[in-house]
Amino acid sequence: MRMFKIKMIFRNLIKYYRTISIDKKFLAVSYIQIFIPIILIGVISFRISSDLIFKKYVGYTSDVIKTARLRIVDKINEINSITQDILYQTELYNVLDKSMKNVDYYDDVASLTNKFRKIILGHLDVQSIGVFTKEKKLCIVDNTSKEVGLDEIIPSQISLEKVYDIAAKGNGKPVWCVALLKRDKDSKVAVLITRCINNPQTLKFEGILAVMINTELFDKTFSELVAEKSQAIAVVGDNIFISTKGEMNEEKILKFMSQVKNKNGVVTYTSNEYIVNILPIKQVDWYIVTSIPVKVLFRDIDKLRMWLIVLCFLSFVITSAMSLMLSMDFLKPINAIVEATKRIRKGEYKTIENLDRKDELGILIDNFNNMVVKINHLINSIYKEQITRKEAELKVLQTQLNPHFLFNILESINWLAQLNGVSQISDVVIALSKLLEVNLKEEKFLTLEEEIKYITSYVSILKINFGEDNLKLEVDVDRKALKLRIPKLLIQPLVENSIFHGIRPKGFGKIFVGGYIWNDKLAIIVKDDGVGIPPEKLKGIRQDLEGDNEVFLEQEERSYTRIGLVNVVKRLKLIYGRDASFSIESLPQRGTTIKIEILLDALSRAVEESLQEFSGEGEEEDV
C-alpha cells in the first residue's frame, strides 16, 4: 500500500511537470541543479565535521581521564602501601594488646604517634591516622596536618559500626570509602581507608586502622590535565562527587553511572544537552567523569550551518534572476515554432521569420522552414509512392504462396485418383474450391474465423494423403477473437510447415491451432508434435528471422521447404512493425511451437489503413 502511494505521488509529479510551461521547468531544473548539490554538500560536510569534532573530543577526553586514572591509581597504591607499613609496626600490636588488658601503654602510644606524625608530614595526601580497638574504642589518633581529623568525624559524622562494617568487607585488605560530612550550611567530602588489624601471630582480629585522605590530591590531578574551560571533570565514589572541576549536572551523571557498572574502558553518553564520558576505577569502585555542553562543543558547526543558509539564499536569488533571463531568451523562438506548428495543423504552411540566431534554436528554425517548403512534396508524391510500393510488395509476398500451395494440392489429387478411385474426388474438389475461393479473394484481411475454416479445409484434403488417423487437427479459439481481422493466409503457411516438416517425417501427428486475447494482444499459437528442429538449425533460423536476412529469403525461394515461415515474418514486419512479435520454440522429437502476438490496436489500425488506401484508389480510378 505504501509503495502504491509513492508511485501515485511520483506519477502526479510527472503529470504536473508535463503540464507546466517551459520557463517554470527551466527554473525547476536550475533550482534542482543548484540547491541539491549545495544541500548535499552542506549536510554531508556538517555531518562529517560534527563527527570529526565529536570523535576528536572523545579521543582527547579518553586520553585525559585515562591519564587521570593512572595517577589516581598510583596514589591509591602508594597510600595502600603506607597502611601496610603501619601494620608492620610492633608498637601497634602492643598498644592494642595492652588496651584490651587495661595495662598502661603510654610509652607505646607515644612511640606509635611519632611514627604516625612522620607519615603525615612526609605524605601530604594523608590527613589523619587512627586506630580503633576490637571493642570499637578509639585508641590513638594523630592530626598533625591541622585539618579535620578522625576524632572529629567519628563517631559524630560517621558511626563506628559503619567504619567496622566497611573494613570487614576487605578481610584484611584496605577498603576505600567516601562519606559526606555536614557542617552548618556547607558539606564536605571525607575519603577514608579502613583496614582490619589481625594479629600476625594468632591471625585474630584486634582492631581497625583508619586513614583519612586529603581530597586536594584529586583537584591537583585535574588542574594539570584539563585545559578546556567549558569542560567539567569529577571523581565519583559511592555516588558522592569527591572532587569536581567545572559545572556538572550531578543528578544526570549518577543516572548514567548506574548503567556502566561492570564495564571496562571509556563509556560515552550523548544527550541533547551534554556529552558525558565515564571511566571506571576498578581498584576502588570509583568513576572518573567528564562533561561538556553540546552547544559549546559544536559552536563552530553552528556558524557553518548559518553560512550554509546564507549561501542557499544568495544562490536562490542569483539562480532565479539568471534562469528568468535565459528562459525568456529560449522561449521566444520556441513560442514561434509552436505557433507555426499550430498553423500547419490548420493547413497554413507558413515559415517563421528570421530571428537572427546562430545557435541550436536558429538551426531548428531553419530546418523547420525547409520542412514547411517541402511538406507538400512529401505528402503529394513521396507518401503516395511509398503506399504503392508497400502494396506491391505485399502482393508479391502473397503470390509466392500460390505455386507452392497449388503444387501440394495437385499432388494430393493425383495420388487420390490413382489409389482411391473416383468416389472421393468430389469431396476433394469441394474443399479445393473453398480454398481457391479464399486464396483468390482480393481482400487483404480475413476474420480469424474464416482463416480457421480455410485451415480446416486444407487439413481435410491432406488427411487423404496422410490417412484419417495419422493427421489430426485441434482448434481452440476465443469467441471474441473469431471476429478479429488478420492478414489473409497468415496461419496457413505455419500449419503447412508443421505438417510437411514436422509430422510427415514422423508419419503421424497432431496440429494444434489456438487463438486467444490476453493483455490487449491477440496471441496465435501453432503447435505440432513432430520431429522438431535440431538446436543449431533452430539457432540459425532465429538469427535469420530476427535480422531480416535477405540471403536467407533467397535461399528459401529456390526450394519450397520454408518459404511459408519467411513469408509470414516478412508480412508481420511490413504490416505491423514493432506491434507484432514472432517466436519459435522446438525440441528434437518433441515438436515445434510457433507463437504470434499482435496488439489489438495494431490489428484495427492496419484494417483501417487498408480501407483508406482502397477508397483512395477508387477515387483516382473514377477521376
Side-chain angles (χ1 to χ4, degrees), residues 159-173:
S159 64
L160 282 169
E161 287 78 7
K162 184 176 181 180
V163 174
Y164 276 70
D165 289 342
I166 293 172
K169 294 178 182 178
N171 194 22
K173 294 182 179 180

Side-chain angles (χ1 to χ4, degrees), residues 518-529:
W518 181 258
N519 288 339
D520 296 329
K521 293 180 180 179
L522 171 63
I524 299 173
I525 299 174
V526 178
K527 182 178 180 182
D528 67 74
D529 57 356

Side-chain angles (χ1 to χ4, degrees), residues 57 60-61 64 226-233 245-246 290-292:
Y57 168 75
Y60 164 74
T61 306
V64 168
V226 179
E228 178 63 47
K229 296 181 179 179
S230 56
Q231 183 179 8
I233 187 169
K245 180 182 179 182
T290 62
S291 174
I292 189 170

Side-chain angles (χ1 to χ4, degrees), residues 261-272:
K261 291 184 177 180
N262 301 323
K263 290 188 178 181
N264 295 319
V266 180
V267 180
T268 303
Y269 287 93
T270 305
S271 65
N272 295 330

Side-chain angles (χ1 to χ4, degrees), residues 485-522:
R485 300 180 72 84
I486 62 174
K488 184 171 64 175
L489 301 182
L490 182 67
I491 305 177
Q492 185 271 339
L494 304 179
V495 174
E496 181 181 358
N497 204 53
S498 295
I499 292 173
F500 284 94
H501 299 289
I503 294 177
R504 185 167 63 177
K506 185 177 178 182
F508 62 91
K510 182 174 69 173
I511 301 293
F512 173 81
V513 178
Y516 310 100
I517 295 177
W518 181 258
N519 288 339
D520 296 329
K521 293 180 180 179
L522 171 63

